[in-house]
Amino acid sequence: MELSKNFEPQAIEQKWYSHWMNNGYFKSVPDEREAYTIVMPPPNVTGVLHMGHCLNNTIQDILIRRARMQGKNACWVPGTDHASIATEAKVVAMLRERGITKSSLSREEFLKYAWEWKEKYGGIILEQLKKMGCSLDWDRTSFTMDPDYYKSVIEIFVRLHKDGIIYRGLRMVNWDPASKTALSDEEVIFKDVDSKLYYVTYPFADGSEGGITVATTRPETILGDVAICVNPTDERYLNMIGKEVLVPIIDRKIKIIADEYVTADFGTGALKVTPAHDKNDNELGKKHNLRALNTLDEEGKFTLEELEDDLINDTIVSYAGVDRFALRKKIAVDIEAIGCLQKIEDYKSQVGTSERTGAVIESRLSLQWFMDMKKFIATNPEITAAVAEEKIKFHPSKFKNTYAHWMDNIKDWCISRQLWWGQQIPAWYDGEGNVIVAETEDEAYKEYSKKHGLKSLPSGEVWRGLFQDEDCLDTWFSSWLWPIEVFKGISNPNNDEIKYYYPTQTLVTAPEIIFFWVARMIMAGYTYKNEMPFEDVYFTGIVRDKQGRKMSKQLGNSPDLLGLIDQYGADAVRFGIMIASPAGNDILFDEGTLEQGRNFNNKMWNAVKLLKMWEGRTTDDGPRTTRVGQRTTDDGPRTTRVGQRTTDDGQLKTNDNIGLWSVDSGQWSALWFETRLNEVKSEVNDMLNQFKLSEALKVIYSLIWDDFCSWYLEWVKPGFEQPIEKVVYDKTVEFFSQLMELLHPFMPFVTEEIYHLLDERKDDLCTHVYAAPVQTDEKILSEGALLKNIISGLRDVRNKNQIKPKETIKVHIQTAEATVYKSIESILAKQINSAFIMYVNDAVAGTITTVIGKDKFYIETEQPLNMAGQREDLEKELAHLKGFLISVEKKLSNEKFVANAKPEVLAIENKKKADAEEKIGIIEESLRGME
RNA sequence: GGGAGUUUAGCUCAGUUGGUUUAGAGCAUCUGCCUUACAAGCAGAGGGUCACAGGUUCGACUCCUGUAACUCCCACCA
């Protein structure tokens, strides 16, 4: 088979994904194996795949694929979230484009459009995940508005209402004028804005000279002012308390009151009180029995509805329907015209904005449904304890403080939304102030008749006058049941699936939704399953661009993911995003890492090509005897003749007798790599257990590129058109396969492809189960390290002396322990293109001298010798060693150190000293020899 | 305003309870190579007072205190 020059991902990605799907590898059903379950954080149905999803789902896929290969029953559940605000906004926008307004539609008509929209666009993001290779059990795809799911949400609402945890009340809520709905506190994002502080004077009502001046950032609300408040100890205003002033423009008489709440130092020390439009003012209003006078409608436009007729004048009429921000400017102009505006100052303040629409939030008095969170979490102390005691482990653990802090300061949760897309609140009203909460309309009537008696109509027909609450529930009030209800744990309690899969193992999500979602799932888990929803929570970072800016649509710095997959391949994208993604840190996305991933694919691809070249040329010959390292005479120079022989004309000829040494060195190399592979396997295993995915990938990358390709393959590589020993070839295929196993969770496509190219297979890598680790002798690792060290050192010498790669050198080693070189000398000779390795007892004249470790190397070359350069290098090394020796000696001459340090530390220091002294001696000797 | 975190090579990060050679990796940079798997490559090299100032200790990148810078979370002083 002819392999392409470079790895071409597009064709094989499609091929393998279909193959995996057709074989049902991603499907999970309960069995006797240990379960490893992840429920995917359901993306919004409106969503398209972005870098955040890419990171998040790659991590989950790595964990799931690894678990599958560990022989666990891996189950990864996909799904989408109905995302009420976001989706409803999209549907409204879509309708607007078609010239339809939401208000012209009935609820049923609107929902029909919404479902159509969902069917059309809702699955896009899931399809995109397939392109990334995500091994999700698609048969389990769930949606937060599936019929059973819907019912479960309603059931939970009713239960919580019964328990007195859900209540309805008139409260100040966060109002989003853009989507015309209330929001929970968590959905409000505070942003720093440059605003103005307006100093407005309210003249005394009795006509006396002057008035009282307040500072406000929101002059548009002054028409709703019902009092002015000062601090009772503020001497400036003591004599004014109780007096009346006139609200500018509207001339309403309001009182100056006093309350500790007001800070004398801020602004003018006088505060205008607008209970309908500010949370604190509202508290103040309640305390002082002030009425809340609403002057803004649900869209944030001025309304005269609650004003008394006698206060309405032409100016005020002209405000009707004016947007709050336009009104702010208008009123500023108008109060200046009547001389009530003292000055305007620049001011930085924080304003709340809607997480979804970005609109500035209004505080608005409104009748909503709430959940009493303090009461709720008090029912199960595990909710807070599990995280604190790390029964549920957060990665990184710092987030457990965030969690604890939020729990300590938890506030009531506003769960009703003035939207249609979502679970409709199961509350029915009779129009006379009676409310019935029940799971269905029929239930509601039953309950109603029990409580209030059955109403009958004069006509004798049954009374059907209850109407259901128009609002729907906060999306998070459904998603908090996700890990339970995807297994029907609410709608069909104690079924086999929920018993098997719950609690799930790992949740991978963004820290931004720790309160929205993570915390609430923990609450729901302990409340409805009496058990944690997951064991580990891995918080991903935020994907930022190279300049560290968060990726966003507005900035346009979010790359097109599918385009990237087309360009680099899914494996390369996965590699790129993971390699730069240390646990819990933000990731700076740089296309360069994708390129690195692509190059990595190529590297492996080319290694396959190399093996394919060897495949047809293996030799079955048993190990041959070699003459490696053998002594020629008893006391003469010990010579090893490696991979060459003398030609007739006496010149050394390389490479025509490679087989002579490749036997031994090949097997030694295989033993070395096997040991190294085992070492890395256990390292990777430890890292993955600690969720250090990025580090694990780095280690695997280096194992494949450096140890396998750069070292091992070069060591076992036969000479040009020479055969490779069968044993070594088979070992090499085996190693390569195991490397693919190790890498597969990270880069599933290329590894599966290579796995099959390497050998005839009965299985697929996707479901291949890792073998148990093998015990290996680690002594060989130090031999390998020594070999690498010397190869690099001598290559450096070649480089520095400008010896051409093709020029053969001759190496003489002066060492006290020639035996340590026995197993590596033939490889060494080949890797540095040396005609032979000889052992000598004395310096060899006319050679380049270098010292590596404690041994001296004399390199014979045809190049003219650069003595000055060599001296310089040796002297530099000598200076370094001497400096080092001084620091060690200083330590050892310190009596306190000798007295206090642990014996093993002392021994190490003594060895360092001896080593350094020995090396210094060797280098000094070499330097003398060069004179 | 409260809390948490970060600060190690040009960039992104490792550095496990203080002591294995006066700090490691990848990327980037530089030098030399179109060597027969791979120039999307090979070989090699350079580069850091571990943010700053103190302290504890025989010994500090590592522990403590303070300072500075940056980041995040929480909190609606109008």
Side-chain angles (χ1 to χ4, degrees):
Chain A
M1 177 185 12
E2 189 65 27
L3 294 180
S4 57
K5 181 174 189 304
N6 286 328
F7 177 65
E8 288 158 5
Q10 286 75 21
I12 71 126
E13 285 174 6
Q14 181 56 44
K15 176 182 80 180
W16 285 115
Y17 201 83
S18 313
H19 179 81
W20 295 329
M21 288 285 281
N22 293 339
N23 283 279
Y25 289 158
F26 306 156
K27 272 179 148 163
S28 170
V29 283
D31 60 22
E32 70 292 339
R33 287 177 298 166
E34 183 187 340
Y36 184 88
T37 313
I38 296 181
V39 290
M40 177 177 113
N44 291 355
V45 278
T46 59
V48 287
L49 201 61
H50 58 64
M51 292 313 286
H53 295 122
C54 174
L55 172 66
N56 188 272
N57 288 290
T58 300
I59 292 168
Q60 293 176 69
D61 197 40
I62 291 166
L63 297 172
I64 275 289
R65 283 182 182 272
R66 171 174 182 248
R68 194 175 290 123
M69 293 179 78
Q70 285 174 320
K72 294 177 186 170
N73 187 345
C75 180
W76 186 16
V77 182
T80 45
D81 187 307
H82 68 277
S84 56
I85 297 183
T87 309
E88 183 150 330
K90 289 227 165 165
V91 174
V92 168
M94 178 271 287
L95 289 172
R96 197 184 301 128
E97 265 175 39
R98 293 207 228 158
I100 307 169
T101 58
K102 183 187 166 192
S103 54
S104 72
L105 298 174
S106 69
R107 185 185 195 104
E108 285 67 33
E109 286 166 337
F110 177 83
L111 286 178
K112 209 176 143 239
Y113 281 117
W115 277 105
E116 271 171 23
W117 195 92
K118 185 257 170 190
E119 294 310 323
K120 195 164 171 197
Y121 301 106
I124 291 179
I125 192 160
L126 298 182
E127 286 307 311
Q128 292 177 328
L129 288 173
K130 293 179 182 170
K131 290 240 157 47
M132 283 177 43
C134 293
S135 59
L136 286 142
D137 184 353
W138 296 106
D139 293 346
R140 296 180 176 276
T141 305
S142 300
F143 179 53
T144 50
M145 287 229 288
D146 284 339
D148 282 347
Y149 205 113
Y150 194 113
K151 258 185 68 190
S152 303
V153 172
I154 298 302
E155 185 190 329
I156 293 300
F157 181 96
V158 173
R159 268 151 77 173
L160 285 169
H161 181 259
K162 211 167 276 170
D163 295 341
I165 286 166
I166 283 179
Y167 64 90
R168 189 171 185 239
L170 187 67
R171 299 276 184 286
M172 283 306 271
V173 295
N174 308 300
W175 186 264
D176 176 354
S179 54
K180 291 185 270 183
T181 178
L183 299 176
S184 67
D185 293 343
E186 287 73 27
E187 284 164 301
V188 179
I189 314 256
F190 284 90
K191 287 185 181 155
D192 282 318
V193 292
D194 290 319
S195 65
K196 308 260 186 233
L197 203 49
Y198 300 80
Y199 287 76
V200 184
T201 301
Y202 293 54
F204 291 121
D206 59 11
S208 56
E209 195 67 8
I212 189 163
T213 303
V214 304
T216 178
T217 53
R218 306 193 53 200
E220 71 274 19
T221 64
I222 65 174
L223 301 178
D225 286 351
V226 292
I228 299 290
C229 190
V230 297
N231 191 290
T233 60
D234 191 337
E235 293 185 0
R236 291 173 296 179
Y237 301 119
L238 277 182
N239 57 350
M240 296 187 194
I241 296 169
K243 277 187 94 162
E244 284 186 322
V245 291
L246 294 175
V247 178
I249 300 170
I250 199 165
D251 285 344
R252 179 190 302 122
K253 275 187 196 169
I254 59 173
K255 246 189 194 161
I256 297 175
I257 59 171
D259 195 285
E260 302 282 340
Y261 167 75
V262 179
T263 325
D265 304 343
F266 187 88
T268 61
L271 169 75
K272 69 186 212 53
V273 184
T274 323
H277 296 294
D278 184 279
K279 247 180 211 169
N280 292 311
D281 287 13
N282 192 259
E283 293 301 312
L284 214 50
K286 275 190 214 157
K287 196 166 154 191
H288 295 270
N289 267 323
L290 302 167
R291 67 177 281 220
L293 204 128
N294 192 10
T295 58
L296 293 173
D297 69 8
E298 56 177 20
E299 291 182 65
K301 292 177 178 158
F302 186 76
T303 169
L304 308 86
E305 270 173 39
E306 295 188 19
L307 298 181
E308 285 135 47
D309 292 346
D310 57 330
L311 294 178
I312 296 177
N313 55 44
D314 289 349
T315 316
I316 287 166
V317 171
S318 77
Y319 294 157
V322 175
D323 180 79
R324 54 201 166 136
F325 298 113
L327 184 62
R328 180 178 300 175
K329 286 183 192 147
K330 247 173 132 69
I331 288 190
V333 172
D334 291 347
I335 52 177
E336 185 168 25
I338 56 173
C340 290
L341 183 65
Q342 301 305 319
K343 60 175 175 177
I344 302 176
E345 277 177 1
D346 284 333
Y347 184 66
K348 280 200 191 313
S349 68
Q350 290 209 304
V351 297
T353 59
S354 163
E355 196 232 351
R356 279 288 148 214
T357 66
V360 173
I361 294 301
E362 285 295 329
S363 283
R364 192 162 200 263
L365 206 53
S366 146
L367 195 57
Q368 304 285 344
W369 290 90
F370 295 89
M371 198 168 144
D372 184 337
M373 299 307 275
K374 278 212 161 64
K375 196 168 167 185
F376 180 64
I377 62 173
T379 59
N380 199 331
E382 282 291 321
I383 290 168
T384 44
V387 173
E389 291 163 10
E390 300 195 349
K391 280 184 214 163
I392 298 173
K393 289 179 284 299
F394 282 5
H395 309 271
S397 62
K398 65 175 177 183
F399 287 113
K400 74 180 196 186
N401 299 330
T402 312
Y403 178 88
H405 184 258
W406 187 69
M407 283 294 180
D408 285 346
N409 298 288
I410 198 157
K411 301 214 175 75
D412 286 6
W413 177 11
C414 174
I415 53 173
S416 44
R417 297 289 178 276
Q418 286 61 56
L419 299 165
W420 283 344
W421 180 245
Q423 284 90 3
Q424 191 174 2
I425 291 175
W428 279 264
Y429 308 96
D430 65 356
E432 292 163 22
N434 293 314
V435 189
I436 297 293
V437 169
E439 282 182 44
T440 61
E441 191 169 11
D442 286 349
E443 286 288 318
Y445 276 101
K446 258 187 231 163
E447 279 288 307
Y448 188 87
S449 61
K450 237 189 272 170
K451 267 195 186 156
H452 305 289
L454 201 57
K455 286 192 187 179
S456 53
L457 298 173
S459 61
E461 285 174 73
V462 186
W463 179 76
R464 298 296 288 180
L466 290 179
F467 56 93
Q468 189 175 356
D469 198 308
E470 282 287 301
D471 293 349
C472 74
L473 288 160
D474 182 5
T475 301
W476 300 104
F477 191 85
S478 60
S479 22
W480 73 327
L481 303 176
W482 187 248
I484 306 176
E485 188 51 27
V486 293
F487 302 113
K488 311 277 182 209
I490 306 276
S491 52
N492 180 17
N494 294 317
N495 70 69
D496 289 344
E497 294 237 322
I498 188 81
K499 277 194 276 187
Y500 182 73
Y501 292 114
Y502 192 96
T504 69
Q505 272 58 59
T506 309
L507 175 76
V508 180
T509 191
E512 294 143 62
I513 53 174
I514 185 168
F515 309 131
F516 278 121
W517 197 45
V518 180
R520 287 169 185 161
M521 281 193 286
I522 294 173
M523 295 174 189
Y526 278 110
T527 308
Y528 302 114
K529 282 300 298 168
N530 209 20
E531 176 73 275
M532 62 177 90
F534 27 70
E535 292 163 2
D536 291 282
V537 184
Y538 180 105
F539 289 105
T540 64
I542 294 165
V543 184
R544 298 174 181 279
D545 67 10
K546 248 177 153 175
Q547 285 107 60
R549 298 173 307 176
K550 195 171 168 174
M551 286 191 169
S552 70
K553 273 188 206 150
Q554 290 96 320
L555 278 172
N557 59 351
S558 194
D560 165 28
L561 197 53
L562 294 178
L564 291 175
I565 292 177
D566 281 344
Q567 194 181 345
Y568 295 97
D571 288 321
V573 171
R574 291 167 65 119
F575 176 94
I577 198 144
M578 286 313 296
I579 200 79
S581 170
N585 280 5
D586 287 356
I587 86 159
L588 292 192
F589 179 75
D590 176 358
E591 228 174 287
T593 60
L594 271 57
E595 215 169 298
Q596 198 186 342
R598 182 198 58 189
N599 296 352
F600 185 34
N601 279 334
N602 255 335
K603 185 71 185 177
M604 294 186 285
W605 187 251
N606 278 295
V608 177
K609 277 161 64 180
L610 179 65
L611 259 70
K612 288 287 133 186
M613 286 175 62
W614 297 349
E615 192 178 24
R617 276 202 303 274
T618 57
T619 164
D620 278 323
D621 295 356
R624 300 186 206 174
T625 21
T626 68
R627 290 176 291 133
V628 166
Q630 108 192 49
R631 274 166 176 268
T632 44
T633 65
D634 275 347
D635 44 14
R638 290 155 288 164
T639 313
T640 308
R641 302 172 58 96
V642 175
Q644 100 292 327
R645 69 177 180 208
T646 315
T647 55
D648 291 337
D649 58 6
Q651 290 298 300
L652 284 171
K653 198 177 157 207
T654 54
N655 285 340
D656 69 347
N657 200 11
I658 288 294
L660 180 66
W661 51 264
S662 69
V663 176
D664 253 352
S665 61
Q667 292 187 15
W668 178 88
S669 301
L671 186 59
W672 169 78
F673 189 77
E674 184 163 46
T675 312
R676 175 81 188 118
L677 178 60
N678 270 295
E679 185 186 44
V680 172
K681 273 187 190 174
S682 96
E683 252 175 66
V684 165
N685 201 37
D686 289 346
M687 285 173 174
L688 292 179
N689 286 340
Q690 295 169 59
F691 293 92
K692 293 180 176 174
L693 309 189
S694 182
E695 275 182 70
L697 178 57
K698 278 181 192 169
V699 169
I700 298 169
Y701 173 78
S702 164
L703 177 70
I704 292 175
W705 196 303
D706 302 328
D707 288 309
F708 186 67
C709 292
S710 296
W711 295 115
Y712 173 76
L713 289 181
E714 293 300 331
W715 293 352
V716 299
K717 186 189 264 180
F720 186 57
E721 294 192 334
Q722 293 293 306
I724 184 166
E725 198 190 345
K726 180 91 168 52
V727 171
V728 175
Y729 176 77
D730 290 346
K731 275 279 178 193
T732 306
V733 168
E734 175 58 24
F735 296 153
F736 207 162
S737 307
Q738 289 188 29
L739 291 170
M740 294 304 96
E741 285 176 28
L742 208 51
L743 183 61
H744 182 260
F746 295 89
M747 302 173 78
F749 296 111
V750 65
T751 49
E752 184 80 88
E753 176 73 8
I754 291 177
Y755 184 73
H756 287 271
L757 285 175
L758 286 172
D759 210 347
E760 289 294 315
R761 305 287 184 180
K762 289 199 186 81
D763 69 343
D764 292 309
L765 200 46
C766 182
T767 49
H768 182 91
V769 174
Y770 291 126
V774 194
Q775 273 291 311
T776 44
D777 176 16
E778 284 171 24
K779 209 182 71 196
I780 198 166
L781 289 176
S782 59
E783 289 178 14
L786 176 72
L787 177 58
K788 288 182 189 179
N789 209 10
I790 293 168
I791 292 172
S792 296
L794 293 181
R795 279 173 176 167
D796 185 29
V797 170
R798 292 188 65 119
N799 257 339
K800 283 204 174 114
N801 288 280
Q802 298 179 314
I803 301 170
K804 292 265 180 297
K806 280 180 177 161
E807 186 189 331
T808 307
I809 55 169
K810 296 164 193 166
V811 173
H812 309 260
I813 308 176
Q814 186 182 348
T815 175
E817 295 176 275
T819 48
V820 302
Y821 290 97
K822 278 277 190 287
S823 39
I824 58 176
E825 60 185 2
S826 54
I827 298 171
L828 174 62
K830 188 174 73 160
Q831 296 302 308
I832 57 170
N833 193 13
S834 177
F836 57 72
I837 303 287
M838 290 230 278
Y839 298 90
V840 293
N841 297 323
D842 297 299
V844 179
T847 57
I848 302 164
T849 309
T850 190
V851 177
I852 300 170
K854 292 174 192 168
D855 297 331
K856 283 182 250 177
F857 292 76
Y858 305 101
I859 295 113
E860 227 183 302
T861 169
E862 284 147 27
Q863 285 298 115
L865 300 184
N866 172 6
M867 297 302 275
Q870 284 177 65
R871 286 196 70 94
E872 208 178 296
D873 280 358
L874 285 173
E875 272 159 6
K876 229 165 107 187
E877 175 72 9
L878 187 66
H880 176 264
L881 282 168
K882 282 184 169 168
F884 175 69
L885 183 63
I886 290 169
S887 78
V888 176
E889 278 175 337
K890 224 161 93 188
K891 241 187 222 179
L892 284 166
S893 62
N894 184 331
E895 281 171 33
K896 284 181 176 170
F897 170 71
V898 178
N900 292 323
K902 283 179 268 178
E904 56 267 33
V905 173
L906 205 56
I908 287 165
E909 291 302 318
N910 274 315
K911 183 162 186 310
K912 281 190 207 169
K913 182 172 178 242
D915 282 357
E917 281 169 343
E918 198 183 342
K919 283 187 195 169
I920 287 170
I922 293 164
I923 292 176
E924 280 174 342
E925 197 187 305
S926 292
L927 281 169
R928 273 196 303 276
M930 288 167 73
E931 275 159 14

